[in-house]
Amino acid sequence: IGSYTFDSCHSLLSIDIPNVTTLDSYAFNGCTNLVEANIPLIETISSHMFESCLKLERIVAPLVTKVDLYAFSSCSELSEADFPLLTEIGSYAFYNTAIKDCSSYENVTKLGDYAFNGSALETANFPNVTGTLSNVFNGCENLTSVSIPLVNKLGSSVFYSCASLTNVYVPNVTSVGMNTFRGCSSLEKIDFPLLTSTSGSSSFQDCTSLTSLDLSNFDTSNVTNMSSMFFATGYNSTIFTLDLGDNFDT
């Protein structure tokens, strides 16, 4: 099925195509009344394939290994999308979706920018993702717990405005970027045993519940911008324990 084949078919309510192996970009883009899709032989959800399918609730695609960029972007009712073989999630793939649980995505090794931005995600466990993340969970207001043990760099706004976030496991992170934890108002403690630098301002701004922060390996010789790094709402920092180590030079 080629690109744009069913683009903006507003009368389409369900899809059942058990024998099709390839669906191209934008195939069902803008099918605003589509509720369910059964595509059991598809291995790649191409870019923009279901973008803006506003009523899409459930998709069955057990062989999918890649969800490309914008694939489900703005599918605001999508809550059931189990992909046990998934290894790659593109940028904006689940932007503004109703996905709460991504436990079936534990084989994922790559997370694109803004992958879950604004989604309903509550927990995120990605034990095999490596490299740098940027804006991935930005605006996930219901996110409470995150485990990304192999990631070594948190870029810009990864957890920006994750107001419910209370538990973060990032043992290998060496650098954080601008606005990384900004607005994480429920976060009380963060441990960065390997953190050595920051490349952006406001990294912990408005973390109004933060009481303990381990920066014992932080080396200010690697810092490019610390502006408002610890700025908190009302100018009243709540940090009671701050371990800066021997390499912190103000």
Side-chain angles (χ1 to χ4, degrees), residues 93-132:
F94 294 99
Y95 170 79
N96 197 31
T97 63
I99 297 290
K100 294 181 179 180
D101 179 18
C102 63
S103 57
S104 66
Y105 305 166
E106 291 189 357
N107 291 318
V108 169
T109 58
K110 183 179 179 181
L111 278 173
D113 296 351
Y114 298 92
F116 291 94
N117 181 276
S119 74
L121 201 63
E122 295 180 349
T123 60
N125 180 28
F126 292 99
N128 297 302
V129 171
T130 59
T132 301

mmCIF file of all heavy atoms in Angstrom, residues 93-132:
data_model
loop_
_atom_site.group_PDB
_atom_site.id
_atom_site.type_symbol
_atom_site.label_atom_id
_atom_site.label_comp_id
_atom_site.label_asym_id
_atom_site.label_seq_id
_atom_site.Cartn_x
_atom_site.Cartn_y
_atom_site.Cartn_z
ATOM 1 N N ALA A 93 7.273 10.117 17.409
ATOM 2 C CA ALA A 93 6.510 8.911 17.061
ATOM 3 C C ALA A 93 5.230 8.759 17.866
ATOM 4 O O ALA A 93 4.173 8.397 17.338
ATOM 5 C CB ALA A 93 7.377 7.671 17.237
ATOM 6 N N PHE A 94 5.317 9.022 19.183
ATOM 7 C CA PHE A 94 4.142 8.889 20.054
ATOM 8 C C PHE A 94 3.758 10.235 20.665
ATOM 9 O O PHE A 94 3.201 10.296 21.759
ATOM 10 C CB PHE A 94 4.424 7.875 21.163
ATOM 11 C CG PHE A 94 4.603 6.465 20.664
ATOM 12 C CD1 PHE A 94 5.882 5.932 20.485
ATOM 13 C CD2 PHE A 94 3.510 5.678 20.361
ATOM 14 C CE1 PHE A 94 6.051 4.638 20.025
ATOM 15 C CE2 PHE A 94 3.669 4.384 19.900
ATOM 16 C CZ PHE A 94 4.935 3.865 19.726
ATOM 17 N N TYR A 95 4.036 11.293 19.957
ATOM 18 C CA TYR A 95 3.719 12.637 20.435
ATOM 19 C C TYR A 95 2.222 12.781 20.722
ATOM 20 O O TYR A 95 1.369 12.452 19.897
ATOM 21 C CB TYR A 95 4.143 13.660 19.382
ATOM 22 C CG TYR A 95 3.662 15.071 19.642
ATOM 23 C CD1 TYR A 95 4.310 15.886 20.562
ATOM 24 C CD2 TYR A 95 2.559 15.580 18.970
ATOM 25 C CE1 TYR A 95 3.873 17.180 20.804
ATOM 26 C CE2 TYR A 95 2.117 16.871 19.195
ATOM 27 C CZ TYR A 95 2.768 17.667 20.120
ATOM 28 O OH TYR A 95 2.327 18.943 20.356
ATOM 29 N N ASN A 96 1.909 13.240 21.942
ATOM 30 C CA ASN A 96 0.532 13.538 22.337
ATOM 31 C C ASN A 96 -0.405 12.342 22.174
ATOM 32 O O ASN A 96 -1.546 12.480 21.728
ATOM 33 C CB ASN A 96 -0.010 14.735 21.542
ATOM 34 C CG ASN A 96 -1.245 15.343 22.181
ATOM 35 O OD1 ASN A 96 -1.410 15.316 23.393
ATOM 36 N ND2 ASN A 96 -2.142 15.890 21.360
ATOM 37 N N THR A 97 0.081 11.158 22.546
ATOM 38 C CA THR A 97 -0.776 9.968 22.542
ATOM 39 C C THR A 97 -1.223 9.651 23.968
ATOM 40 O O THR A 97 -0.752 10.249 24.933
ATOM 41 C CB THR A 97 -0.036 8.741 21.981
ATOM 42 O OG1 THR A 97 1.089 8.431 22.835
ATOM 43 C CG2 THR A 97 0.451 8.994 20.562
ATOM 44 N N ALA A 98 -2.139 8.666 24.091
ATOM 45 C CA ALA A 98 -2.649 8.249 25.402
ATOM 46 C C ALA A 98 -1.907 7.034 25.943
ATOM 47 O O ALA A 98 -2.376 6.393 26.897
ATOM 48 C CB ALA A 98 -4.147 7.965 25.313
ATOM 49 N N ILE A 99 -0.756 6.722 25.365
ATOM 50 C CA ILE A 99 0.055 5.588 25.821
ATOM 51 C C ILE A 99 0.497 5.814 27.266
ATOM 52 O O ILE A 99 1.153 6.805 27.571
ATOM 53 C CB ILE A 99 1.293 5.393 24.926
ATOM 54 C CG1 ILE A 99 0.899 5.052 23.492
ATOM 55 C CG2 ILE A 99 2.210 4.320 25.503
ATOM 56 C CD1 ILE A 99 0.310 3.692 23.314
ATOM 57 N N LYS A 100 0.128 4.892 28.157
ATOM 58 C CA LYS A 100 0.529 4.986 29.559
ATOM 59 C C LYS A 100 1.655 4.011 29.902
ATOM 60 O O LYS A 100 2.501 4.290 30.748
ATOM 61 C CB LYS A 100 -0.670 4.713 30.470
ATOM 62 C CG LYS A 100 -1.784 5.735 30.398
ATOM 63 C CD LYS A 100 -2.907 5.381 31.365
ATOM 64 C CE LYS A 100 -4.013 6.418 31.322
ATOM 65 N NZ LYS A 100 -5.113 6.085 32.273
ATOM 66 N N ASP A 101 1.636 2.870 29.239
ATOM 67 C CA ASP A 101 2.566 1.791 29.566
ATOM 68 C C ASP A 101 3.377 1.413 28.331
ATOM 69 O O ASP A 101 2.809 1.075 27.294
ATOM 70 C CB ASP A 101 1.773 0.584 30.066
ATOM 71 C CG ASP A 101 2.652 -0.606 30.403
ATOM 72 O OD1 ASP A 101 3.868 -0.404 30.588
ATOM 73 O OD2 ASP A 101 2.132 -1.727 30.474
ATOM 74 N N CYS A 102 4.689 1.482 28.442
ATOM 75 C CA CYS A 102 5.542 1.087 27.311
ATOM 76 C C CYS A 102 6.438 -0.088 27.703
ATOM 77 O O CYS A 102 7.559 -0.215 27.216
ATOM 78 C CB CYS A 102 6.365 2.263 26.821
ATOM 79 S SG CYS A 102 7.522 2.939 28.020
ATOM 80 N N SER A 103 5.935 -0.949 28.586
ATOM 81 C CA SER A 103 6.735 -2.070 29.083
ATOM 82 C C SER A 103 7.111 -3.057 27.980
ATOM 83 O O SER A 103 8.098 -3.790 28.113
ATOM 84 C CB SER A 103 5.987 -2.800 30.200
ATOM 85 O OG SER A 103 4.717 -3.265 29.759
ATOM 86 N N SER A 104 6.333 -3.080 26.893
ATOM 87 C CA SER A 104 6.665 -3.996 25.795
ATOM 88 C C SER A 104 7.757 -3.442 24.887
ATOM 89 O O SER A 104 8.147 -4.083 23.916
ATOM 90 C CB SER A 104 5.416 -4.294 24.955
ATOM 91 O OG SER A 104 4.965 -3.142 24.276
ATOM 92 N N TYR A 105 8.270 -2.249 25.219
ATOM 93 C CA TYR A 105 9.291 -1.616 24.380
ATOM 94 C C TYR A 105 10.702 -1.766 24.962
ATOM 95 O O TYR A 105 11.602 -0.997 24.622
ATOM 96 C CB TYR A 105 9.006 -0.122 24.211
ATOM 97 C CG TYR A 105 7.635 0.230 23.682
ATOM 98 C CD1 TYR A 105 7.165 1.536 23.753
ATOM 99 C CD2 TYR A 105 6.799 -0.720 23.113
ATOM 100 C CE1 TYR A 105 5.906 1.886 23.269
ATOM 101 C CE2 TYR A 105 5.539 -0.394 22.632
ATOM 102 C CZ TYR A 105 5.097 0.907 22.713
ATOM 103 O OH TYR A 105 3.860 1.247 22.244
ATOM 104 N N GLU A 106 10.913 -2.747 25.802
ATOM 105 C CA GLU A 106 12.186 -2.870 26.510
ATOM 106 C C GLU A 106 13.355 -3.276 25.608
ATOM 107 O O GLU A 106 14.510 -3.196 26.022
ATOM 108 C CB GLU A 106 12.052 -3.846 27.674
ATOM 109 C CG GLU A 106 11.173 -3.295 28.802
ATOM 110 C CD GLU A 106 11.194 -4.155 30.054
ATOM 111 O OE1 GLU A 106 11.848 -5.218 30.024
ATOM 112 O OE2 GLU A 106 10.568 -3.754 31.043
ATOM 113 N N ASN A 107 13.063 -3.687 24.370
ATOM 114 C CA ASN A 107 14.144 -4.029 23.435
ATOM 115 C C ASN A 107 14.612 -2.824 22.629
ATOM 116 O O ASN A 107 15.551 -2.940 21.817
ATOM 117 C CB ASN A 107 13.689 -5.135 22.477
ATOM 118 C CG ASN A 107 13.495 -6.460 23.174
ATOM 119 O OD1 ASN A 107 14.292 -6.851 24.025
ATOM 120 N ND2 ASN A 107 12.420 -7.161 22.836
ATOM 121 N N VAL A 108 13.988 -1.689 22.835
ATOM 122 C CA VAL A 108 14.337 -0.482 22.083
ATOM 123 C C VAL A 108 15.765 -0.046 22.389
ATOM 124 O O VAL A 108 16.180 0.006 23.554
ATOM 125 C CB VAL A 108 13.356 0.666 22.401
ATOM 126 C CG1 VAL A 108 13.857 1.995 21.846
ATOM 127 C CG2 VAL A 108 11.985 0.348 21.825
ATOM 128 N N THR A 109 16.520 0.290 21.338
ATOM 129 C CA THR A 109 17.893 0.771 21.500
ATOM 130 C C THR A 109 18.042 2.228 21.087
ATOM 131 O O THR A 109 19.048 2.857 21.386
ATOM 132 C CB THR A 109 18.875 -0.075 20.662
ATOM 133 O OG1 THR A 109 18.499 -0.023 19.281
ATOM 134 C CG2 THR A 109 18.864 -1.529 21.138
ATOM 135 N N LYS A 110 17.045 2.763 20.381
ATOM 136 C CA LYS A 110 17.126 4.138 19.907
ATOM 137 C C LYS A 110 15.813 4.877 20.138
ATOM 138 O O LYS A 110 14.747 4.420 19.729
ATOM 139 C CB LYS A 110 17.477 4.176 18.415
ATOM 140 C CG LYS A 110 17.650 5.578 17.856
ATOM 141 C CD LYS A 110 18.029 5.552 16.387
ATOM 142 C CE LYS A 110 18.185 6.959 15.824
ATOM 143 N NZ LYS A 110 18.543 6.937 14.376
ATOM 144 N N LEU A 111 15.909 6.043 20.784
ATOM 145 C CA LEU A 111 14.756 6.907 21.030
ATOM 146 C C LEU A 111 14.980 8.243 20.337
ATOM 147 O O LEU A 111 15.918 8.966 20.657
ATOM 148 C CB LEU A 111 14.563 7.145 22.536
ATOM 149 C CG LEU A 111 13.842 6.079 23.357
ATOM 150 C CD1 LEU A 111 13.916 6.427 24.833
ATOM 151 C CD2 LEU A 111 12.398 5.952 22.919
ATOM 152 N N GLY A 112 14.111 8.589 19.406
ATOM 153 C CA GLY A 112 14.251 9.851 18.698
ATOM 154 C C GLY A 112 13.804 11.040 19.530
ATOM 155 O O GLY A 112 13.107 10.900 20.540
ATOM 156 N N ASP A 113 14.184 12.231 19.114
ATOM 157 C CA ASP A 113 13.799 13.462 19.808
ATOM 158 C C ASP A 113 12.273 13.578 19.882
ATOM 159 O O ASP A 113 11.571 13.267 18.918
ATOM 160 C CB ASP A 113 14.354 14.684 19.075
ATOM 161 C CG ASP A 113 15.869 14.728 19.069
ATOM 162 O OD1 ASP A 113 16.494 13.906 19.770
ATOM 163 O OD2 ASP A 113 16.426 15.578 18.345
ATOM 164 N N TYR A 114 11.788 14.015 21.026
ATOM 165 C CA TYR A 114 10.353 14.241 21.248
ATOM 166 C C TYR A 114 9.516 12.968 21.080
ATOM 167 O O TYR A 114 8.309 13.050 20.816
ATOM 168 C CB TYR A 114 9.815 15.316 20.289
ATOM 169 C CG TYR A 114 10.434 16.682 20.441
ATOM 170 C CD1 TYR A 114 11.540 17.052 19.680
ATOM 171 C CD2 TYR A 114 9.910 17.609 21.335
ATOM 172 C CE1 TYR A 114 12.121 18.309 19.803
ATOM 173 C CE2 TYR A 114 10.478 18.874 21.465
ATOM 174 C CZ TYR A 114 11.584 19.222 20.706
ATOM 175 O OH TYR A 114 12.134 20.466 20.837
ATOM 176 N N ALA A 115 10.108 11.795 21.227
ATOM 177 C CA ALA A 115 9.416 10.534 20.948
ATOM 178 C C ALA A 115 8.093 10.399 21.699
ATOM 179 O O ALA A 115 7.089 9.959 21.142
ATOM 180 C CB ALA A 115 10.319 9.354 21.278
ATOM 181 N N PHE A 116 8.092 10.775 22.998
ATOM 182 C CA PHE A 116 6.870 10.668 23.795
ATOM 183 C C PHE A 116 6.391 12.039 24.284
ATOM 184 O O PHE A 116 5.622 12.133 25.239
ATOM 185 C CB PHE A 116 7.104 9.755 25.004
ATOM 186 C CG PHE A 116 7.292 8.306 24.651
ATOM 187 C CD1 PHE A 116 8.558 7.770 24.473
ATOM 188 C CD2 PHE A 116 6.190 7.479 24.481
ATOM 189 C CE1 PHE A 116 8.725 6.435 24.130
ATOM 190 C CE2 PHE A 116 6.349 6.138 24.152
ATOM 191 C CZ PHE A 116 7.622 5.618 23.976
ATOM 192 N N ASN A 117 6.830 13.085 23.647
ATOM 193 C CA ASN A 117 6.486 14.437 24.077
ATOM 194 C C ASN A 117 4.975 14.609 24.246
ATOM 195 O O ASN A 117 4.192 14.293 23.356
ATOM 196 C CB ASN A 117 6.997 15.429 23.025
ATOM 197 C CG ASN A 117 6.717 16.868 23.389
ATOM 198 O OD1 ASN A 117 5.635 17.367 23.135
ATOM 199 N ND2 ASN A 117 7.675 17.536 23.986
ATOM 200 N N GLY A 118 4.573 15.070 25.434
ATOM 201 C CA GLY A 118 3.167 15.364 25.691
ATOM 202 C C GLY A 118 2.268 14.156 25.801
ATOM 203 O O GLY A 118 1.033 14.294 25.818
ATOM 204 N N SER A 119 2.838 12.968 25.920
ATOM 205 C CA SER A 119 2.018 11.752 26.003
ATOM 206 C C SER A 119 1.564 11.504 27.441
ATOM 207 O O SER A 119 1.980 12.186 28.370
ATOM 208 C CB SER A 119 2.810 10.544 25.502
ATOM 209 O OG SER A 119 3.792 10.148 26.444
ATOM 210 N N ALA A 120 0.715 10.468 27.613
ATOM 211 C CA ALA A 120 0.181 10.118 28.932
ATOM 212 C C ALA A 120 1.048 9.086 29.652
ATOM 213 O O ALA A 120 0.620 8.506 30.661
ATOM 214 C CB ALA A 120 -1.243 9.581 28.782
ATOM 215 N N LEU A 121 2.259 8.885 29.176
ATOM 216 C CA LEU A 121 3.164 7.876 29.731
ATOM 217 C C LEU A 121 3.328 8.038 31.242
ATOM 218 O O LEU A 121 3.539 9.133 31.740
ATOM 219 C CB LEU A 121 4.524 8.004 29.049
ATOM 220 C CG LEU A 121 5.458 6.810 29.088
ATOM 221 C CD1 LEU A 121 4.844 5.619 28.356
ATOM 222 C CD2 LEU A 121 6.795 7.173 28.459
ATOM 223 N N GLU A 122 3.222 6.902 31.974
ATOM 224 C CA GLU A 122 3.344 6.928 33.441
ATOM 225 C C GLU A 122 4.668 6.357 33.920
ATOM 226 O O GLU A 122 5.217 6.831 34.916
ATOM 227 C CB GLU A 122 2.175 6.162 34.064
ATOM 228 C CG GLU A 122 0.821 6.815 33.810
ATOM 229 C CD GLU A 122 -0.328 6.051 34.419
ATOM 230 O OE1 GLU A 122 -0.116 4.898 34.876
ATOM 231 O OE2 GLU A 122 -1.454 6.590 34.445
ATOM 232 N N THR A 123 5.167 5.333 33.257
ATOM 233 C CA THR A 123 6.477 4.762 33.591
ATOM 234 C C THR A 123 7.241 4.495 32.304
ATOM 235 O O THR A 123 6.640 4.215 31.255
ATOM 236 C CB THR A 123 6.356 3.444 34.388
ATOM 237 O OG1 THR A 123 5.647 2.472 33.607
ATOM 238 C CG2 THR A 123 5.636 3.674 35.705
ATOM 239 N N ALA A 124 8.563 4.576 32.381
ATOM 240 C CA ALA A 124 9.391 4.333 31.205
ATOM 241 C C ALA A 124 10.638 3.570 31.613
ATOM 242 O O ALA A 124 11.430 4.051 32.423
ATOM 243 C CB ALA A 124 9.773 5.651 30.545
ATOM 244 N N ASN A 125 10.789 2.377 31.045
ATOM 245 C CA ASN A 125 11.965 1.555 31.319
ATOM 246 C C ASN A 125 12.585 1.152 29.981
ATOM 247 O O ASN A 125 12.016 0.362 29.229
ATOM 248 C CB ASN A 125 11.571 0.310 32.117
ATOM 249 C CG ASN A 125 12.763 -0.579 32.426
ATOM 250 O OD1 ASN A 125 13.894 -0.105 32.522
ATOM 251 N ND2 ASN A 125 12.529 -1.871 32.573
ATOM 252 N N PHE A 126 13.748 1.733 29.702
ATOM 253 C CA PHE A 126 14.443 1.458 28.456
ATOM 254 C C PHE A 126 15.865 1.004 28.771
ATOM 255 O O PHE A 126 16.817 1.786 28.670
ATOM 256 C CB PHE A 126 14.456 2.691 27.558
ATOM 257 C CG PHE A 126 13.100 3.077 27.025
ATOM 258 C CD1 PHE A 126 12.360 4.081 27.620
ATOM 259 C CD2 PHE A 126 12.566 2.399 25.936
ATOM 260 C CE1 PHE A 126 11.111 4.426 27.131
ATOM 261 C CE2 PHE A 126 11.319 2.740 25.434
ATOM 262 C CZ PHE A 126 10.588 3.757 26.036
ATOM 263 N N PRO A 127 16.035 -0.258 29.134
ATOM 264 C CA PRO A 127 17.347 -0.746 29.582
ATOM 265 C C PRO A 127 18.400 -0.826 28.502
ATOM 266 O O PRO A 127 19.588 -0.959 28.812
ATOM 267 C CB PRO A 127 17.026 -2.143 30.133
ATOM 268 C CG PRO A 127 15.780 -2.560 29.415
ATOM 269 C CD PRO A 127 14.997 -1.307 29.224
ATOM 270 N N ASN A 128 17.998 -0.752 27.220
ATOM 271 C CA ASN A 128 18.960 -0.939 26.138
ATOM 272 C C ASN A 128 19.229 0.318 25.308
ATOM 273 O O ASN A 128 20.012 0.279 24.357
ATOM 274 C CB ASN A 128 18.472 -2.056 25.210
ATOM 275 C CG ASN A 128 18.383 -3.394 25.922
ATOM 276 O OD1 ASN A 128 19.366 -3.888 26.463
ATOM 277 N ND2 ASN A 128 17.198 -3.975 25.945
ATOM 278 N N VAL A 129 18.599 1.418 25.656
ATOM 279 C CA VAL A 129 18.818 2.669 24.931
ATOM 280 C C VAL A 129 20.166 3.271 25.330
ATOM 281 O O VAL A 129 20.492 3.341 26.519
ATOM 282 C CB VAL A 129 17.690 3.685 25.207
ATOM 283 C CG1 VAL A 129 18.035 5.052 24.628
ATOM 284 C CG2 VAL A 129 16.393 3.187 24.604
ATOM 285 N N THR A 130 20.924 3.708 24.337
ATOM 286 C CA THR A 130 22.243 4.291 24.600
ATOM 287 C C THR A 130 22.343 5.674 23.967
ATOM 288 O O THR A 130 21.439 6.130 23.272
ATOM 289 C CB THR A 130 23.363 3.395 24.034
ATOM 290 O OG1 THR A 130 23.180 3.251 22.613
ATOM 291 C CG2 THR A 130 23.347 2.018 24.671
ATOM 292 N N GLY A 131 23.478 6.342 24.212
ATOM 293 C CA GLY A 131 23.756 7.617 23.557
ATOM 294 C C GLY A 131 23.135 8.811 24.241
ATOM 295 O O GLY A 131 23.079 8.893 25.467
ATOM 296 N N THR A 132 22.619 9.744 23.438
ATOM 297 C CA THR A 132 22.091 11.019 23.916
ATOM 298 C C THR A 132 20.594 11.108 23.692
ATOM 299 O O THR A 132 20.098 10.734 22.623
ATOM 300 C CB THR A 132 22.764 12.188 23.170
ATOM 301 O OG1 THR A 132 24.175 12.128 23.385
ATOM 302 C CG2 THR A 132 22.236 13.517 23.669
#
